[in-house]
Amino acid sequence: MASLNPSTDISSFINPIFDGAMLIARENNVMAGLVQTFGDREGLATRKNSQYGGMTVNAVAETDDLVGQAFTPAVIATLTPAEAAGQYFLTDNRMKSDPFAVRSDAQNDMGLAVGTKIETDLLAVIPSLTGGTIGTAGSTITWAYVYAMEATLRTQKAPYPYFMVIHPHQWFSLKRVATVAGNRTNASETFMNELRESMYFVHQEGGIFMYVSANLSIDANADAKPGMWSRTAMGLDVRTAPYLEAERDASRRGWELNISTTYAAGVWRPTFGVQGIFDATAPTGV
């Protein structure tokens, strides 16, 4: 019988095709640009924010003698820097044998990882904002809640612009509603175009700049705590910008790739921020 010479005859000689290895998926970082930032110091000294009590002006009679009032500042927030770091170790043979640009890929991932660390640390500050809390566990976020958060911030006399970060599951609830604040409908072509064409910066509603971040954590009850704040509500104090150093380890026959940074993330003027608590259950489209 004649041989048909199928490819299976040489299967052991066919080399697999390795496409470029993908880095782990990471979210866009937005928080560092939405808070008060500092970069004028090095080291680990704490940075404190103080606030005066303010004068009370009273009605007086013509002959009343005025009484001096206290004008003494009190500390309202403290930023405490700490170091964060990570390392990859790559052996000589790993780099020589790897089909990918492993050292370059590792360095890219390290930079992205540091960015994610700073981002999540800032998002973790939201529950410490003291300007108010809107919503309850299990409640569905609505545009009315968004405007309630804005009104609460205005009551705190926080200056515009306001920044809001919500979880993608919560943005789904806002995007699918038929009305906005009960009187603005989907018939508004400009508004609907903004919703359709938006990405992680999803919308500007008046003086509110709204962002979506999957880095916002979801708790055991499937709730997430978005926040709305004026810029000075939170602070990022960078003492040492992220930097990467490569160090040869001859005894281990490889290279250490070390990345580190020193910074503080925390509340700065906490009454200028409002936290929400709303359901963040994964949508089903129903």
Side-chain angles (χ1 to χ4, degrees), residues 101-137:
V102 62
R103 179 165 175 170
S104 177
D105 288 346
Q107 291 175 163
N108 287 338
D109 183 67
M110 294 170 82
L112 294 171
V114 169
T116 298
K117 168 65 173 169
I118 295 172
E119 180 85 353
T120 54
D121 282 355
L122 284 168
L123 288 170
V125 176
I126 290 175
S128 298
L129 299 174
T130 61
T133 300
I134 302 297
T136 57

Side-chain angles (χ1 to χ4, degrees), residues 226-286:
M228 184 185 296
W229 62 89
S230 183
R231 186 178 298 276
T232 56
M234 292 184 275
L236 173 63
D237 191 348
V238 179
R239 301 301 176 87
T240 304
Y243 66 99
L244 191 150
E245 287 186 310
E247 182 177 355
R248 174 70 180 166
D249 189 333
S251 67
R252 296 169 70 190
R253 299 167 306 288
W255 287 86
E256 290 181 2
L257 302 179
N258 303 294
I259 194 167
S260 64
T261 181
T262 302
Y263 65 93
V267 294
W268 190 241
R269 193 163 186 176
T271 59
F272 278 10
V274 174
Q275 58 178 292
I277 179 168
F278 306 106
D279 179 63
T281 302
T284 62
V286 178

Side-chain angles (χ1 to χ4, degrees), residues 52-67:
Y52 290 111
M55 172 174 279
T56 300
V57 178
N58 303 305
V60 295
E62 180 179 359
T63 58
D64 284 349
D65 190 10
L66 300 182
V67 177

Side-chain angles (χ1 to χ4, degrees), residues 15 24 32-33 37 40 59 62 98 119 125 128 146 167-168 180-181 197 206 216 228 232 265:
N15 294 323
I24 187 173
T37 57
D40 58 334
E62 180 179 359
D98 201 300
E119 180 85 353
V125 176
S128 298
V146 172
H167 192 276
V180 178
E197 297 171 4
L216 197 65
M228 184 185 296
T232 56

Side-chain angles (χ1 to χ4, degrees), residues 3-276:
S3 175
L4 300 179
N5 296 312
S7 62
T8 53
D9 290 351
I10 60 168
S11 59
S12 61
F13 294 92
I14 299 175
N15 294 323
I17 298 172
F18 290 101
D19 203 354
M22 295 181 291
L23 299 180
I24 187 173
R26 297 189 189 275
E27 179 65 292
N28 291 299
N29 296 325
V30 299
M31 289 295 294
L34 310 181
V35 302
Q36 179 73 52
T37 57
F38 305 93
D40 58 334
R41 292 289 188 275
E42 295 181 330
L44 298 175
T46 58
R47 186 187 296 268
K48 297 182 180 293
N49 190 20
S50 301
Q51 179 176 293
Y52 290 111
M55 172 174 279
T56 300
V57 178
N58 303 305
V60 295
E62 180 179 359
T63 58
D64 284 349
D65 190 10
L66 300 182
V67 177
Q69 300 179 31
F71 192 57
T72 304
V75 173
I76 61 172
T78 301
L79 296 177
T80 304
E83 191 172 13
Q87 181 193 92
Y88 282 135
F89 184 85
L90 301 175
T91 65
D92 293 341
N93 283 329
R94 167 66 187 273
M95 290 189 288
K96 292 173 182 177
S97 306
D98 201 300
F100 311 117
V102 62
R103 179 165 175 170
S104 177
D105 288 346
Q107 291 175 163
N108 287 338
D109 183 67
M110 294 170 82
L112 294 171
V114 169
T116 298
K117 168 65 173 169
I118 295 172
E119 180 85 353
T120 54
D121 282 355
L122 284 168
L123 288 170
V125 176
I126 290 175
S128 298
L129 299 174
T130 61
T133 300
I134 302 297
T136 57
S139 61
T140 299
I141 189 171
T142 64
W143 286 101
Y145 277 133
V146 172
Y147 296 132
M149 295 174 77
E150 180 187 24
T152 302
L153 271 185
R154 286 294 298 118
T155 302
Q156 295 289 348
K157 306 178 181 65
Y160 284 104
Y162 295 159
F163 304 104
M164 184 177 189
V165 174
I166 63 176
H167 192 276
H169 296 168
Q170 295 168 333
W171 175 241
F172 170 80
S173 297
L174 289 177
K175 195 170 183 178
R176 71 192 295 266
V177 296
T179 62
V180 178
N183 55 28
R184 185 172 176 181
T185 70
N186 287 350
S188 171
E189 188 62 26
T190 299
F191 179 71
M192 288 307 298
N193 283 340
E194 289 175 353
L195 296 189
R196 285 192 294 264
E197 297 171 4
S198 60
M199 293 182 289
Y200 68 93
F201 169 65
V202 294
H203 186 56
Q204 179 184 349
E205 183 66 17
I208 308 168
F209 292 85
M210 302 178 68
Y211 296 81
V212 166
S213 176
N215 285 329
L216 197 65
S217 63
I218 298 177
D219 65 22
N221 298 316
D223 294 313
K225 291 186 175 182
M228 184 185 296
W229 62 89
S230 183
R231 186 178 298 276
T232 56
M234 292 184 275
L236 173 63
D237 191 348
V238 179
R239 301 301 176 87
T240 304
Y243 66 99
L244 191 150
E245 287 186 310
E247 182 177 355
R248 174 70 180 166
D249 189 333
S251 67
R252 296 169 70 190
R253 299 167 306 288
W255 287 86
E256 290 181 2
L257 302 179
N258 303 294
I259 194 167
S260 64
T261 181
T262 302
Y263 65 93
V267 294
W268 190 241
R269 193 163 186 176
T271 59
F272 278 10
V274 174
Q275 58 178 292

